[in-house]
Amino acid sequence: MDDIKVFQRFLKDVKHLKDLELQHVHNKRCGQNNKGSTINKVKRRRPRFHPLEEMNEIEFRNKYRYTKENMRRIIEIVRDDLEVDYYEPMKRNQVPIDLQILSAIRFFGGTEHPHLSAMAHGVSLHTMAKITRRVAAVLSSKASSYIRMPATLSEKERMMRSFQSLSNMPQVIGALVQTTVRLQLDSSRVQASRSCYSGTESPVPIEELVHLQVVADAEHKIRDLDIRLSEELDLSTAPELFSLSRIKERFEQNEFRGRILLGNDSLSCSPCLFTPVQYPKTKSEDLYNHAHAITFAPAIKCLNVWMRRFGILGSELLGTFGSAKQTITALAVLHNMAMEWNDPSIDADSCVSVYKPNFLSYAHGTSTAEEQRNRNEFIKSHFSNN
């Protein structure tokens, strides 16, 4: 039935094009015979494609990365803010608000070339870029409601229990992982940055690395997100990114007293961030490393699912760092919505390869004996042979 509908729509398009051609020829002839006369041209408007109504559930999930039910939830959450944000009068050919949201999320999914995403919704690539920036701005403004560490005692206790249930490692309140996203700066910024050194007018693309630091919970939600350019970091090392992050400052201010984060071995061990023992010598250290690997795994899965749902994170973002930061934050908000609603779209999608996070391939983080003291006492208390 779907193929028949597509074919019928194709025949209508062909007929529409023929009618336009005949009308153009007729108007041209009439214009030559009656130059003083005016002919009213009637333009037949093509009905807009609406995926929620015209696509089946499986096809919709593949293209839009959510079930139809959950997509309607997102539209309801975002619609009012977009309508307020768009203060100009409604134009005849303006894309409706719900289709703007749909087209932006399909673009974020990265399952096809951006031109195809734009064509599917009857807009130009330039218009698509404007739509995605607006939708990302609205979604990122909701980050405080969807991306947050536990605040109350009951929330902290519940998060620790969820991690401890994995491999009986106590006191863990989050797993921290880092990766990078490529950013191609827009031509205006590139041209401005090179105008002092070159007389040419043609823009030269500049690619930057955006460093992301994610704190995930045991349910694969993003609880904290730090986004920085390489130029903000000293030699772009993983420990440097953590040292500049707000989450480290919050731990140093005893906001999460008695609780810890887990990190991989590219980071340095510290009183609030426990990494694996690089060269275990005792059975206790082996047991700790085993429990650490299992308890840290949700952070890796969180990145995998996030990157699989939104393919543009694995390819390249375009624009300024500010717009890229908004887009990444918006995608983290959308990811947490999907986790909260148990959206099955990505689990059922076997066509997308598993994303392997880039842990900033640097040397192992170095830690002083003082920094490792808390970890050693932790191992002795909870993984001792006695």
Side-chain angles (χ1 to χ4, degrees), residues 171-361:
Q171 301 177 344
V172 178
I173 201 171
L176 185 147
V177 67
Q178 299 174 348
T179 189
T180 56
V181 173
R182 290 183 297 151
L183 167 65
Q184 183 174 313
L185 299 176
D186 62 4
S187 58
S188 60
R189 176 174 171 180
V190 171
Q191 190 168 348
S193 64
R194 299 219 171 187
S195 60
C196 299
Y197 305 99
S198 173
T200 180
E201 292 292 329
S202 57
V204 180
I206 291 181
E207 187 175 284
E208 293 275 6
L209 275 183
V210 179
H211 295 263
L212 311 184
Q213 177 176 278
V214 171
V215 176
D217 64 15
E219 297 172 348
H220 316 116
K221 290 183 182 178
I222 297 173
R223 291 290 184 165
D224 187 80
L225 178 64
D226 198 281
I227 308 169
R228 296 180 186 271
L229 277 177
S230 298
E231 60 193 30
E232 298 181 65
L233 308 177
D234 180 19
L235 301 179
S236 301
T237 63
E240 179 70 12
L241 177 56
F242 177 67
S243 69
L244 295 175
S245 63
R246 171 65 179 155
I247 191 67
K248 180 177 183 291
E249 183 181 346
R250 293 172 69 182
F251 269 92
E252 290 175 343
Q253 294 172 350
N254 287 327
E255 185 177 339
F256 307 103
R257 182 177 301 179
R259 300 167 182 90
I260 59 173
L261 294 171
L262 297 184
N264 70 319
D265 53 12
S266 69
L267 294 158
S268 302
C269 187
S270 70
C272 64
L273 179 68
F274 285 8
T275 59
V277 177
Q278 190 171 354
Y279 302 108
K281 298 178 182 178
T282 65
K283 184 177 180 181
S284 298
E285 291 177 343
D286 282 331
L287 291 173
Y288 163 82
N289 276 1
H290 178 73
H292 185 288
I294 295 175
T295 313
F296 181 73
I300 300 176
K301 184 173 181 180
C302 175
L303 269 185
N304 283 341
V305 175
W306 189 30
M307 297 286 182
R308 288 177 62 183
R309 190 179 299 276
F310 303 112
I312 61 168
L313 291 174
S315 55
E316 187 176 62
L317 300 179
L318 302 175
T320 64
F321 173 63
S323 66
K325 193 171 182 178
Q326 277 191 338
T327 298
I328 294 168
T329 304
L331 298 184
V333 170
L334 288 170
H335 167 83
N336 283 356
M337 288 177 178
M339 293 297 101
E340 184 176 338
W341 301 333
N342 296 316
D343 191 285
S345 302
I346 297 306
D347 294 338
D349 185 1
S350 59
C351 300
V352 184
S353 60
V354 176
Y355 176 80
K356 296 182 179 180
N358 170 23
F359 291 116
L360 309 180
S361 305

